[in-house]
């Protein structure tokens, strides 16, 4: 054959492939989620998340130092609240001495340059396991936003770098931004979970925090996975209300949404590779059905290729290690 173009020329060796690679993962891309609970010396493996642990604060600090040494620059923290502190107001969420507030301070003290992000939603504190205040079986929007503002201010007072509201209530980004302004927190950022879908892939996470909804589901606040245009609407509104970084969640079943958002906005786009996505790779690898390390790097690269500037992933540590090899 006499061909004008031979595309395989650019694939013929590892060196050439590296030269022309369009995307490259680095630990700078990663946000490492951390599950924290009260106590000392605790490392509890999450049954549906093999190899992933919920730590007490002392162990969390060790983990944060390890993550930092691997080049990871951000952690996203979630706490498990004991049942006796859960109610329908979520008031433990803004306790200045709560496990969340103590964790923020301890991490910033131990590794000041680590960017600390916190989940802002009521579910770990709610006796109903919902992200908001419940009345007659409904999740109240405006009352919940008031609670989220109190929660956000308490995280800001503890020194958080970015608040990450994950609740999908209307108007919460604007309310949190103006409360931050009114209280002089001009350096606190907002990473909004702007396009968060009602997804079955959050199952293992709810095991980790014992936060599964006690009744119904989250479809009246999280988005319908049949929708694409709505993701753009939600995200543009959050940016207008003051979000510094936006998010698409989950990741791999939503790569089209990531690209859509990336093309529509001028702020960094983060993507949450969620607990169920972690669990699926772990489960298949455990059976020898896929190569775990290759699946990790291929998955994260595809998320980046789709348009993610930042990726929250339970594989952050593994991927950072793999990238060093
Ligand atoms: C809390 C929250 C959830 C996740 C992040 N923040 C659970 C939910 O919305 O039910 C899920 C993360 C994961 O599955 O890894 N609002």
């Amino acid at each position: 054959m006499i061909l004008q173009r031979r595309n395989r020329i650019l694939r013929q060796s590892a060196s050439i492939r590296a030269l022309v690679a369009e995307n490259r993962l680095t630990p700078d891309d990663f946000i490492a989620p951390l599950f924290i609970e009260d106590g000392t010396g605790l490392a509890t493996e999450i049954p549906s998340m093999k190899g992933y642990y919920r730590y007490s604060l002392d162990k969390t600090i060790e983990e944060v130092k390890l993550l930092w040494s691997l080049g990871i620059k951000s952690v996203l923290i979630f706490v498990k609240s004991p049942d006796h502190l859960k109610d329908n107001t979520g008031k433990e969420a803004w306790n200045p001495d709560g496990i969340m507030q103590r964790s923020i301070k301890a991490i910033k003290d131990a590794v000041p340059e680590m960017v600390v992000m916190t989940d802002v939603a009521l579910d770990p504190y709610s006796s109903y396991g919902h992200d908001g205040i419940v009345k007659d079986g409904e999740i109240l929007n405006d009352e919940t936003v008031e609670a989220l503002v109190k929660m956000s201010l308490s995280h800001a007072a503890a020194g958080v770098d970015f608040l990450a509201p994950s609740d999908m209530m209307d108007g919460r980004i604007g309310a949190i931004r103006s409360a931050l302004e009114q209280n002089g927190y001009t350096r606190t950022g907002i990473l909004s979970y702007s396009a968060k879908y009602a997804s079955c892939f959050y199952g293992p996470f709810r095991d980790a925090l014992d936060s599964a909804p006690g009744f119904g589901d989250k479809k009246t606040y999280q988005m319908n996975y049949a929708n694409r245009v709505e993701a753009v609407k939600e995200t543009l509104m959050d940016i207008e209300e003051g979000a510094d970084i936006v998010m698409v969640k989950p990741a791999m079943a939503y790569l089209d949404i990531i690209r859509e958002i990336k093309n529509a906005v001028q702020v960094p786009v983060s993507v949450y590779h969620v607990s169920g996505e972690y669990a699926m790779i772990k489960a298949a690898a455990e059976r020898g059905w896929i190569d775990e390390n290759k699946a990790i790097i291929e998955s994260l690269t595809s998320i980046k290729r789709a348009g993610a500037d930042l990726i929250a992933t339970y594989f952050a540590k593994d991927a950072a290690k793999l990238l060093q090899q």
Side-chain angles (χ1 to χ4, degrees), residues 31-35 76 78 119 193 202 205 247-252 258 270-275 277 303 310-314:
I31 299 170
L34 295 174
F35 300 126
L76 173 58
F78 299 91
D119 191 69
Y193 284 63
Y202 309 150
F205 171 98
M247 179 185 273
V248 176
K249 177 185 177 191
M252 291 194 69
I258 299 171
S270 67
V271 174
Y272 204 138
H273 185 232
V274 302
S275 57
E277 304 182 83
I303 295 166
L310 292 165
I311 307 171
T313 174
Y314 302 97

Side-chain angles (χ1 to χ4, degrees), residues 17-279:
R17 288 192 297 273
L19 283 171
V20 301
E22 296 176 37
N23 290 284
R24 189 164 282 113
L25 287 176
T26 96
D28 292 346
D29 302 330
F30 301 146
I31 299 170
L34 295 174
F35 300 126
I36 309 178
E37 68 179 318
D38 241 324
T40 43
L42 300 178
T44 311
E45 191 175 43
I46 292 126
S48 47
M49 295 180 74
K50 272 286 166 66
Y52 217 81
Y53 295 82
R54 194 175 57 238
Y55 294 116
S56 51
L57 191 43
D58 54 330
K59 292 269 185 188
T60 300
I61 298 297
E62 287 172 28
E63 183 71 7
V64 171
K65 288 180 179 163
L66 176 62
L67 293 169
W68 182 256
S69 75
L70 289 166
I72 291 166
K73 311 228 165 23
S74 178
V75 292
L76 173 58
I77 54 186
F78 299 91
V79 299
K80 179 175 188 290
S81 198
D83 280 345
H84 71 273
L85 295 177
K86 296 186 185 188
D87 62 22
N88 189 32
T89 67
K91 64 179 182 308
E92 178 60 17
W94 53 92
N95 174 357
D97 295 316
I99 178 70
M100 179 61 101
Q101 291 74 5
R102 280 182 282 126
S103 299
I104 298 167
K105 282 184 203 143
I107 295 171
K108 290 304 288 184
D109 279 350
V111 188
E113 286 172 278
M114 183 63 96
V115 176
V116 173
M117 305 184 172
T118 51
D119 191 69
V120 175
L122 295 185
D123 49 332
Y125 305 99
S126 157
S127 40
Y128 291 105
H130 272 288
D131 290 24
I133 295 166
V134 178
K135 192 175 174 205
D136 302 331
E138 273 190 44
I139 317 306
L140 301 178
N141 193 85
D142 301 9
E143 292 79 351
T144 298
V145 171
E146 279 176 39
L148 296 173
V149 165
K150 289 184 212 160
M151 184 177 186
S152 297
L153 289 174
S154 81
H155 294 187
V160 77
D161 295 299
F162 282 84
L163 299 160
S166 68
D167 55 288
M168 291 298 282
M169 297 299 129
D170 288 329
R172 90 274 206 224
I173 300 301
I176 292 169
R177 176 60 79 197
S178 59
L180 289 173
E181 286 292 315
Q182 279 158 19
N183 289 275
Y185 295 115
T186 55
R187 291 162 61 96
T188 311
I190 302 176
L191 183 161
S192 168
Y193 284 63
S194 44
K196 175 171 178 177
Y197 287 87
S199 170
C200 73
F201 294 110
Y202 309 150
F205 171 98
R206 294 172 187 170
D207 279 353
L209 298 187
D210 181 27
S211 62
F215 68 87
D217 51 40
K218 299 193 175 185
K219 289 182 180 165
T220 67
Y221 43 108
Q222 299 177 351
M223 285 173 46
N224 180 353
Y225 51 72
N227 297 353
R228 186 162 56 89
V229 174
E230 190 183 9
V232 179
K233 175 181 78 174
E234 284 282 356
T235 302
L236 292 178
M237 282 179 69
D238 282 4
I239 294 169
E240 247 180 56
E241 289 179 30
D244 301 286
I245 303 175
V246 294
M247 179 185 273
V248 176
K249 177 185 177 191
M252 291 194 69
Y254 298 82
L255 296 179
D256 58 325
I257 308 297
I258 299 171
R259 174 47 54 184
E260 188 87 21
I261 299 293
K262 179 65 184 166
N263 289 345
V265 307
Q266 273 105 38
V267 300
V269 176
S270 67
V271 174
Y272 204 138
H273 185 232
V274 302
S275 57
E277 304 182 83
Y278 173 91

